[in-house]
Amino acid sequence: MTQSTQGRVIPIDYQLTTWHQTITKKQKELKNDFESLIIRIESNLLPHFLELLKTMGKVKTKNSIEQYKECKEIIAEEDVTLTILIESYNKFKELLTKEFPIDFQFTTIADLLSVCERDISFLTKLRVKFRDIIKSAEVIFIPNSKASKRREDVFEGIARDVNRTIRNLTKDLSALREQYEIFIDKLAIEIEDAIKQAKEEKAAVGQESKKD
């Protein structure tokens, strides 16, 4: 029921409790970062998309070029944020699969890993879409020129897809974030049961030793 670290014996119940506290803290940080990202995209980036879409089929003016440059700068900043956030989620996965000296079977970990993978997949796809938007826009937003319909269709398709995805996600954001809290609360119960069982097993072993 204990683990030795540099001569110190750390009770397994302390290890499990600390692990759960760390998971809870890390998830709150991820929740704040995820929500902040989505809110920024909705308020700062989507309006630019809508304005740029109005220029489709038209000669690109100085104003539309400036609008595109602002959009490009925002995407560049959020690309960095997405990369960092994805890495944070991967570290969270590592935390969830931490090994202990005793083999514990926490079924809720699979649920947490599932929603974690869902978010990583979403963030990864969003990062790709942002990069695709810039690639498609580079050949469209050229001063005093009118791009081909085929090229504009590519840009429009991606921009509208991101707009629709973010709008829909915003509606369900609270419910999706609450899934983590529900699973983390369930994990707490599983940990309590595991600690209780481990203590009972230790006590039983102690009783058997006295008999011997």
Side-chain angles (χ1 to χ4, degrees), residues 59-77:
V59 172
K60 302 306 179 282
T61 64
K62 180 180 179 180
N63 287 337
S64 64
I65 299 300
E66 289 301 317
Q67 187 87 27
Y68 163 64
K69 287 181 179 179
E70 288 182 33
C71 179
K72 185 177 180 179
E73 289 178 2
I74 294 173
I75 287 179
E77 292 176 0

Side-chain angles (χ1 to χ4, degrees), residues 149-166:
K149 185 177 186 306
R150 179 180 62 81
R151 287 179 171 177
E152 290 194 334
D153 284 346
V154 172
F155 170 81
E156 183 173 357
I158 302 172
R160 291 194 182 282
D161 181 40
V162 172
N163 182 75
R164 181 172 56 254
T165 300
I166 297 299

Side-chain angles (χ1 to χ4, degrees), residues 59-116:
V59 172
K60 302 306 179 282
T61 64
K62 180 180 179 180
N63 287 337
S64 64
I65 299 300
E66 289 301 317
Q67 187 87 27
Y68 163 64
K69 287 181 179 179
E70 288 182 33
C71 179
K72 185 177 180 179
E73 289 178 2
I74 294 173
I75 287 179
E77 292 176 0
E78 297 302 359
D79 186 276
V80 174
T81 302
L82 282 165
T83 300
I84 294 173
L85 190 52
I86 290 169
E87 180 59 28
S88 294
Y89 269 97
N90 283 320
K91 289 181 179 179
F92 184 61
K93 281 175 55 182
E94 293 177 7
L95 176 63
L96 291 174
T97 54
K98 176 180 173 63
E99 293 184 1
F100 293 95
I102 299 177
D103 184 25
F104 293 103
Q105 298 298 322
F106 299 125
T107 58
T108 308
I109 290 299
D111 296 322
L112 282 167
L113 286 171
S114 177
V115 291
C116 186

